[in-house]
Amino acid sequence: WDIGSNKTNRLPSQTLRWRLLLSYLTVMLAILSISALGVYQYTRRSLYDQLDRRLEVLAQAASHNLLAIAAHHAKQQQTGSIGHPPSTQTKCYLDNDGDLDIPWQQLRAPDQGVEWFDARKQLIGNAGTLVNAMPLQPGSQTWQQGKIRAVTLPVYSRSDGKAPLAGYIRVTHVTQEVEAVLSRMRWGLGFGGIAVLGLTGLGGIWLTRQSLKPIEQSFQQLKQFTADAAHELRSPLAAVKTSIQVMECYPERLHPQDLKKIGAIAATTNHTIELVENLLLLARMDEAELTENQQWTVLSIDEILGNLLELFQSLAQAKGMTLESRLLKDVTVKGDATQLSRLFRNLLENALYYTPAGGKVMLTMKREDRSVIVLVADTGIGIAPEHLSFIFDRFWRADKARSRRQSGMGMGLSIVRAIAQRHHGAVTATSQLGVGSCFRVRLPLN
């Protein structure tokens, strides 16, 4: 399991704004696409339906000449003209213009053709400028191949459709005109959709900004209240702590039964002071102007980690644990020494608290590209998979797996992430219940 550190607990106004805008544009794009596709399909079907109706009308008009065409074809067969070269075939002049045109020839467009078939589906005549060499399609009234569309109608001796089948009429037409209209429509829908989507995006940006203003204002007020409250609580807490320290310096003036109460008050005061300091630290880190700090200095990571190891070595020995390290030399970064020390101290404290006696905590450093990687691994109780996605959230504590630390406030790992992000780094975690956890901190080298 691996959890990245790109998430943040503060309100990411820019990120949230772009996410809302992207969601809005995605929905609008889906709506526009479905609408455009529906309009295009409806128009395409309507145009082809109109073309089919025109071809059916033409086929019905041509059906009246089927008997005459069949008689002419039979006469040619009797005279033996069929199968001979065209110059020797007997021509039929139905309207004295040299082809098989008939009085409704004005109905035909330049790219049309009419074919007459007998009952055996044998071609017996054709007319028009479009000659189709395809055989008659069985059981098909309308079909299209490439840019040629055809309509086939059966012809009966009587109009009631119960008389013997006399033959078939097939009318073909080039779909170039329809496709040209559809092509223009596709271009229009495409450019129109882009224009509408662009205008929708501009409107979405404006609407998103307007809708987020109250949220951002409320969040800024909440952050300011947190920072002010934490700052104002420091003075009275300091006074309480000083008073308790004074009383502890003169135990002879206190009743023996009050000593435990004073100790409990002191522990609670220290816990509250730590909570206030953490809140104040996170509130300050949430400020955008603190993302860059011109007062940062070049720091030696191995020195910071070495000092922390000396500090926690005695605690590890007291718990019967092993604290090992593999540190590199002369590894420098640019940042704040106090904050980086706080980052690694929180990780080491967690590792020691959640590792039972006889366990091991390992601190490792390595270089990776232009970054230094610090690994804090332990053989502790681990973190449940369903909890990994929440461990960097503020004030979050697991109910079972990691509830042993009674003094915890659920802010240690959120502070770790905030410090890492402020130093242009990242922190990730991998863990397995009953095996242990490993926190990976990446910081850019100086």
Side-chain angles (χ1 to χ4, degrees):
W1 297 84
D2 183 79
I3 299 297
S5 62
N6 292 328
K7 296 188 298 181
T8 178
N9 286 304
R10 52 185 176 168
L11 178 65
S13 57
Q14 293 294 334
T15 304
L16 182 59
R17 182 180 294 118
W18 283 111
R19 285 182 178 177
L20 290 175
L21 179 61
L22 182 60
S23 301
Y24 177 74
L25 290 179
T26 302
V27 173
M28 291 304 300
L29 180 61
I31 295 175
L32 288 175
S33 300
I34 295 174
S35 302
L37 183 60
V39 171
Y40 176 79
Q41 292 295 337
Y42 176 79
T43 304
R44 184 179 184 276
R45 183 172 181 178
S46 299
L47 290 176
Y48 276 109
D49 286 345
Q50 293 177 7
L51 177 60
D52 292 341
R53 286 194 294 268
R54 292 199 303 267
L55 295 181
E56 289 177 3
V57 172
L58 186 58
Q60 291 173 357
S63 64
H64 300 290
N65 299 91
L66 179 61
L67 297 179
I69 298 296
H72 176 70
H73 182 75
K75 183 178 179 181
Q76 285 185 321
Q77 285 182 325
Q78 292 176 358
T79 58
S81 300
I82 295 179
H84 294 171
S87 59
T88 64
Q89 294 182 10
T90 303
K91 296 182 179 180
C92 178
Y93 301 102
L94 295 182
D95 56 357
N96 298 320
D97 62 355
D99 59 12
L100 291 179
D101 291 344
I102 48 185
W104 40 264
Q105 60 183 342
Q106 299 300 327
L107 293 175
R108 292 187 286 116
D111 294 326
Q112 283 182 342
V114 182
E115 297 167 290
W116 290 267
F117 297 85
D118 59 16
R120 295 175 299 176
K121 299 181 180 181
Q122 299 295 321
L123 180 65
I124 59 176
N126 64 282
T129 59
L130 182 61
V131 178
N132 187 11
M134 293 294 297
L136 189 66
Q137 300 293 325
S140 176
Q141 183 176 359
T142 303
W143 61 273
Q144 182 172 341
Q145 184 177 20
K147 295 184 178 181
I148 298 178
R149 194 172 183 87
V151 171
T152 304
L153 294 180
V155 179
Y156 299 89
S157 300
R158 294 199 306 268
S159 60
D160 56 6
K162 297 180 180 180
L165 182 67
Y168 300 89
I169 304 296
R170 183 171 69 184
V171 180
T172 55
H173 194 286
V174 176
T175 60
Q176 183 176 359
E177 182 180 354
V178 176
E179 291 298 330
V181 174
L182 294 177
S183 178
R184 291 194 298 269
M185 185 177 182
R186 287 193 295 268
W187 282 103
L189 289 175
F191 285 114
I194 293 175
V196 171
L197 191 62
L199 294 176
T200 302
L202 294 177
I205 293 175
W206 184 81
L207 289 175
T208 303
R209 288 179 176 177
Q210 295 300 318
S211 62
L212 285 181
K213 279 184 178 180
I215 301 176
E216 293 178 351
Q217 184 177 4
S218 300
F219 186 76
Q220 292 296 334
Q221 292 176 351
L222 180 61
K223 286 201 308 180
Q224 187 63 40
F225 169 77
T226 302
D228 293 343
H231 181 74
E232 293 298 328
L233 285 173
R234 296 176 70 185
S235 297
L237 287 173
V240 172
K241 183 177 181 180
T242 302
S243 300
I244 293 174
Q245 289 176 345
V246 170
M247 287 187 290
E248 289 178 338
C249 291
Y250 302 97
E252 68 277 2
R253 298 182 181 181
L254 299 175
H255 192 278
Q257 296 182 354
D258 294 333
L259 291 177
K260 292 183 178 181
K261 299 178 182 179
I262 296 298
I265 295 174
T268 303
T269 302
N270 292 331
H271 179 77
T272 306
I273 290 176
E274 184 180 359
L275 173 62
V276 170
E277 292 295 336
N278 289 337
L279 286 173
L280 189 58
L281 175 63
L282 290 173
R284 288 172 176 173
M285 287 186 176
D286 283 342
E287 298 297 330
E289 63 268 18
L290 292 181
T291 303
E292 296 292 340
N293 194 325
Q294 301 298 329
Q295 298 180 354
W296 281 359
T297 58
V298 178
L299 306 172
S300 176
I301 290 293
D302 53 292
E303 291 183 4
I304 295 177
L305 296 177
N307 294 334
L308 292 175
L309 286 172
E310 294 179 2
L311 177 65
F312 286 103
Q313 196 65 247
S314 58
L315 178 61
Q317 293 176 358
K319 293 186 62 175
M321 299 167 48
T322 303
L323 179 58
E324 299 180 359
S325 63
R326 296 177 184 174
L327 304 182
L328 303 177
K329 297 296 183 181
D330 301 326
V331 179
T332 59
V333 298
K334 193 172 183 180
D336 186 291
T338 303
Q339 292 184 10
L340 290 178
S341 178
R342 179 74 173 274
L343 184 156
F344 295 113
R345 185 173 71 249
N346 286 357
L347 292 179
L348 288 172
E349 284 180 351
N350 281 350
L352 293 173
Y353 267 105
Y354 298 119
T355 301
K360 181 173 69 172
V361 176
M362 187 71 181
L363 184 63
T364 308
M365 285 178 59
K366 62 180 181 179
R367 295 176 184 266
E368 189 175 286
D369 297 331
R370 288 292 303 163
S371 301
V372 57
I373 307 299
V374 179
L375 302 174
V376 180
D378 62 65
T379 58
I381 61 177
I383 306 171
E386 64 271 17
H387 295 155
L388 268 175
S389 58
F390 305 104
I391 60 175
F392 291 103
D393 293 345
R394 297 178 186 180
F395 304 108
W396 183 89
R397 293 182 64 193
D399 294 334
K400 298 179 181 180
R402 298 176 70 85
S403 59
R404 290 173 37 183
R405 188 176 179 183
Q406 300 299 327
S407 61
M409 296 172 289
M411 299 180 64
L413 292 180
S414 61
I415 292 176
V416 167
R417 181 179 60 179
I419 295 175
Q421 289 179 343
R422 188 187 174 194
H423 287 76
H424 311 291
V427 57
T428 58
T430 57
S431 184
Q432 186 176 353
L433 278 177
V435 177
S437 305
C438 179
F439 287 84
R440 182 179 186 270
V441 180
R442 179 187 59 82
L443 295 173
L445 292 171
N446 178 41

